[in-house]
Amino acid sequence: MEPKRLTGPGAGSMKYDVLTALTVSGLHGTPAQQISMTRLCALITARYNWKLDHFCVGQPEMARMWHVTERTVKREIKRWVEDRLLICVRKGVRGRVGAYRLNILRVFELSRDIWGAVGPDYAERMQEMDPGQRSSVVKVDFTKPVQEVNVPDDGTSWYAVSQRLKALYPEKHRNWFAPLRFVSDEGGTYTLAARSGFVVRYLETHFSTVMAEAVVAEVGLGRRIAFVVDD
């Protein structure tokens, strides 16, 4: 299954909401942040391929669009990648143009405090649009305190792995690790099922290393982590 993308019915308004989040979070920041978010929004509006879920634009073209030097373009891209606003899906090397994906979940994290400044209707829409739940719009309340979530002991090694992750990363465990389902431990591959393609992609991007370390500690060496979408 393909990862979640902002395409299909209702996607247009969701894109506007994401761009609003970026714009307003920039306006509530420093002058440098205001300029940076304006550049990012211009780039997304003009060149983001929502179907492929990335943009692939040469640095000279970005420099012309922003009326800056290519050196400034490199600094901006580097800053966004380090801040996890962008995920590099293909590096630009040897004349090949790089490709970057907008990290929607990071947009939510950065803009959450200013949703109310846009208006109560906007804040409600954003609370309902949780990309980490499933491939369609779902309800989510970011204001609720973190609650403990226990993974039942199903007799598999995943219980021990999960408990280790819970002790090390309690908030991440609740939001990302606890909902996973053990699939198999065969052929050197430790397979877990997640609730959506978006979650699979996010786990692979952000948590594959810490999860692999937990599997090695509790199960043993010689395994790689693999994620599939739960049926």
Side-chain angles (χ1 to χ4, degrees):
M1 181 181 295
E2 288 293 315
K4 180 185 185 300
R5 295 183 174 92
L6 295 184
T7 57
S13 61
M14 294 166 66
K15 294 172 188 175
Y16 279 121
D17 284 341
V18 169
L19 286 169
T20 298
L22 286 171
T23 304
V24 179
S25 63
L27 291 172
H28 280 246
T30 65
Q33 290 170 330
Q34 293 173 8
I35 295 173
S36 182
M37 288 302 100
T38 299
R39 289 169 177 164
L40 180 57
C41 288
L43 181 60
I44 293 171
T45 303
R47 290 292 182 262
Y48 202 84
N49 188 323
W50 294 100
K51 185 176 181 180
L52 298 178
D53 197 16
H54 69 239
F55 69 83
C56 183
V57 183
Q59 292 179 0
E61 185 177 355
M62 281 187 272
R64 288 195 303 270
M65 183 189 305
W66 299 342
H67 195 53
V68 298
T69 65
E70 290 186 37
R71 183 177 180 182
T72 298
V73 171
K74 292 178 182 178
R75 286 201 303 263
E76 284 284 35
I77 296 295
K78 183 175 184 290
R79 183 183 301 115
W80 293 335
V81 171
E82 290 177 346
D83 195 32
R84 297 184 292 112
L85 262 174
L86 295 183
I87 298 170
C88 182
V89 296
R90 187 182 69 239
K91 292 185 177 181
V93 294
R94 296 180 180 176
R96 183 176 63 176
V97 177
Y100 298 87
R101 175 177 296 130
L102 181 64
N103 186 348
I104 301 294
L105 190 62
R106 180 59 174 160
V107 175
F108 275 56
E109 292 174 353
L110 290 176
S111 65
R112 190 174 305 147
D113 291 341
I114 54 86
W115 292 347
V118 181
D121 58 327
Y122 177 80
E124 183 177 355
R125 288 199 308 275
M126 292 298 280
Q127 288 173 347
E128 291 176 350
M129 190 172 64
D130 176 15
Q133 292 295 318
R134 56 184 184 181
S135 59
S136 59
V137 178
V138 296
K139 291 186 177 181
V140 61
D141 185 357
F142 289 113
T143 64
K144 290 183 178 179
V146 174
Q147 298 177 351
E148 184 176 358
V149 176
N150 294 313
V151 174
D153 188 352
D154 57 0
T156 69
S157 58
W158 170 238
Y159 176 75
V161 175
S162 176
Q163 291 302 299
R164 183 179 186 86
L165 290 168
K166 179 180 177 181
L168 294 172
Y169 314 100
E171 292 189 8
K172 293 182 176 63
H173 179 270
R174 174 186 181 272
N175 295 326
W176 298 101
F177 306 144
L180 297 176
R181 180 178 63 83
F182 176 79
V183 176
S184 65
D185 180 12
E186 299 175 348
T189 302
Y190 198 88
T191 306
L192 299 167
R195 59 196 172 216
S196 74
F198 180 91
V199 176
V200 167
R201 186 179 70 193
Y202 195 83
L203 290 168
E204 290 173 341
T205 303
H206 297 279
F207 300 134
S208 59
T209 300
V210 297
M211 295 189 70
E213 290 172 350
V215 169
V216 168
E218 298 295 336
V219 186
L221 295 169
R223 292 170 175 81
R224 70 177 186 88
I225 295 285
F227 302 100
V228 297
V229 178
D230 213 344
D231 296 331

